[in-house]
Amino acid sequence: MHVAARGENITVIFVNNAVYGMTGGQMAPTTLPGMTTTSSQTGRDVELQGYPLRMSEMLATTSGAAYIVRRSVHDIANIRKTKKALMTAFKVQMQGMGFSLVEILSTCPTNWGIRLPAPCISSKTK
């Protein structure tokens, strides 16, 4: 927060999967209302835990923010938009314009309980 407020000439890449994956899937500041985690098994209750932080919106209000954007990687078109956003953020940094952040909305298959398909293995592989 303070780095953005000072306008430090850095780029932050924030992969937001709405959980603390390294701690077993606990509730994070960005966990959505109603979303279950290991530490909020009945879902995030905004009356108890408050609303999730909206990082991009919050940082965009700082005076030093030069480029703030939220993207996702849920399909090819959005992966391309994310790639373009990353390139723009790095250009902003190289031009010395100030703080930039690319928030990337991502899944967390392990902690969300999503089963991914097995990789396709060719019958020609030995």
Side-chain angles (χ1 to χ4, degrees):
M1 183 70 166
H2 297 290
V3 170
R6 287 192 304 267
E8 297 286 340
N9 193 40
I10 66 169
T11 297
V12 173
I13 300 168
F14 171 39
V15 180
N16 180 357
N17 62 12
V19 296
Y20 282 130
M22 296 299 289
T23 62
Q26 294 176 335
M27 184 172 65
T30 57
T31 300
L32 300 172
M35 184 176 176
T36 60
T37 68
T38 58
S39 60
S40 61
Q41 295 181 359
T42 59
R44 182 184 195 127
D45 181 348
V46 296
E47 295 294 323
L48 294 174
Q49 293 101 11
Y51 288 94
L53 294 180
R54 299 182 70 179
M55 295 305 295
S56 291
E57 290 85 348
M58 183 171 62
L59 293 173
T61 66
T62 63
S63 299
Y67 181 74
I68 308 286
V69 66
R70 178 184 294 123
R71 292 287 180 246
S72 66
V73 289
H74 69 279
D75 61 21
I76 299 298
N78 281 287
I79 290 170
R80 288 186 179 125
K81 289 178 184 177
T82 300
K83 180 180 176 181
K84 184 177 179 181
L86 290 167
M87 295 301 293
T88 301
F90 291 135
K91 286 177 184 174
V92 165
Q93 180 183 354
M94 291 183 337
Q95 294 172 2
M97 297 171 64
F99 180 82
S100 61
L101 173 125
V102 179
E103 180 180 1
I104 303 172
L105 301 178
S106 176
T107 61
C108 185
T110 301
N111 291 304
W112 287 13
I114 299 171
R115 293 188 48 91
L116 298 176
C120 181
I121 299 174
S122 170
S123 61
K124 295 178 183 178
T125 305
K126 294 184 180 181

